[in-house]
Amino acid sequence: MVKQKETPDICSGRQLKGVNILNEHSRERERTESKDWVGNQRSIYTTLGASNHSDKDRQQHDYYATEPRAMELLLAEEQFSPVIWECACGEGHLSKVLEQHGFEVISTDLIYRGFGDPEPLDFLKETLDDFEGDIITNPPYKYALEFVEQALNSVQPGRKVAMFLKLQFLEGKKRKEFFLHNPPKVVYVSSSRLNCAMNGDFEKYPSNNAICYAWFVWEKGFKGDPVIRWIN
């Protein structure tokens, strides 16, 4: 059984209907399963789970926050809709940068971490009806492909989806098939390392030089060859 939830439209003050919410029993069960990811509502740089950490060290819900500079670098290169949905907002690291640049940001996550909508929203199972903006996030890497697919299903033709991902997201047979039908328009490769801190703790994890990250930007409906550019 699903029910409808009303989510505030931050641009017009009206209510957006059509957020499909799982019943409480199902959601409580999902919160306890180790396979679930944890985004959070205040972390600005939502998580990408870096593979150089062992399973023992990894945060249970794959919560790795990204340094805010990553968002600044993207905004210096790309134009976006005035309305942005940050669907794995964590503690608000990405959302806060977007807000500082004048964007209206809808911030949601599976786990509430003190930022954004306090009602948890599982992006892979729920969506906003009639959403007309762009989606920008740093998804849990374990579910990165599923996040991209859901994001493209959630935006209107011509709107953008930007995902902060490990460069190795370009690899893999399954992702190749996806790319052939849904090529990114631009991939912005960070020539210098950007940091993703486990549990959003940048003091404890001040740097991470083992992984190369990139911004993957899709424009829904685009069918040409991707362009690779270098930033940072």
Side-chain angles (χ1 to χ4, degrees):
M1 296 287 291
V2 296
K3 60 182 179 180
Q4 297 294 313
K5 170 190 174 184
E6 292 186 346
T7 298
D9 182 335
I10 55 179
C11 293
S12 65
R14 62 184 173 83
Q15 298 293 307
L16 278 177
K17 296 183 179 180
V19 181
N20 297 321
I21 302 299
L22 299 174
N23 62 52
E24 277 305 312
H25 177 74
S26 297
R27 191 181 297 284
E28 184 63 29
R29 183 181 66 249
E30 291 178 359
R31 288 171 183 165
T32 63
E33 292 178 352
S34 60
K35 66 180 180 180
D36 284 346
W37 60 278
V38 169
N40 71 38
Q41 306 230 351
R42 270 187 192 180
S43 95
I44 290 180
Y45 302 76
T46 31
T47 307
L48 273 197
S51 61
N52 62 322
H53 293 283
S54 68
D55 289 340
K56 180 179 179 181
D57 293 334
R58 292 182 67 83
Q59 205 273 354
Q60 180 183 3
H61 294 280
D62 206 10
Y63 172 45
Y64 288 77
T66 308
E67 61 176 298
R69 189 161 60 97
M71 187 75 260
E72 297 283 1
L73 290 167
L74 177 64
L75 294 179
E77 302 291 335
E78 285 282 337
Q79 298 293 317
F80 292 99
S81 165
V83 181
I84 303 294
W85 183 5
E86 217 295 34
C87 54
C89 70
E91 294 172 277
H93 296 81
L94 289 176
S95 294
K96 290 175 183 175
V97 175
L98 288 165
E99 290 172 350
Q100 290 169 1
H101 283 263
F103 293 94
E104 299 288 349
V105 186
I106 301 171
S107 299
T108 65
D109 210 322
L110 176 65
I111 302 296
Y112 180 62
R113 295 183 185 270
F115 183 87
D117 189 347
E119 176 65 27
L121 188 149
D122 185 343
F123 181 69
L124 297 183
K125 298 180 180 179
E126 309 162 42
T127 191
L128 300 175
D129 286 347
D130 303 319
F131 176 65
E132 296 183 354
D134 296 332
I135 292 177
I136 303 176
T137 197
N138 175 351
Y141 193 75
K142 181 178 180 179
Y143 300 108
L145 180 57
E146 290 84 351
F147 261 71
V148 176
E149 291 172 328
Q150 176 73 337
L152 288 172
N153 288 333
S154 299
V155 299
Q156 302 296 320
R159 294 301 190 186
K160 294 180 179 179
V161 169
M163 297 278 176
F164 188 72
L165 302 166
K166 290 184 281 189
L167 187 59
Q168 71 184 61
F169 188 74
L170 290 168
E171 301 175 336
K173 292 183 179 180
K174 183 177 180 180
R175 288 192 289 268
K176 175 187 175 182
E177 290 302 314
F178 171 77
F179 285 138
L180 290 175
H181 296 92
N182 303 278
K185 190 171 184 179
V186 187
V187 178
Y188 295 100
V189 180
S190 178
S191 56
S192 298
R193 293 294 192 250
L194 292 169
N195 188 26
C196 289
M198 185 166 62
N199 301 327
D201 191 343
F202 287 97
E203 291 187 2
K204 184 176 181 180
Y205 304 100
S207 65
N208 178 5
N209 296 320
I211 298 174
C212 179
Y213 291 105
W215 278 107
F216 290 68
V217 180
W218 285 264
E219 183 179 291
K220 188 169 182 175
F222 173 75
K223 295 299 182 183
D225 293 327
V227 173
I228 297 178
R229 294 177 180 166
W230 284 264
I231 57 174
N232 196 25

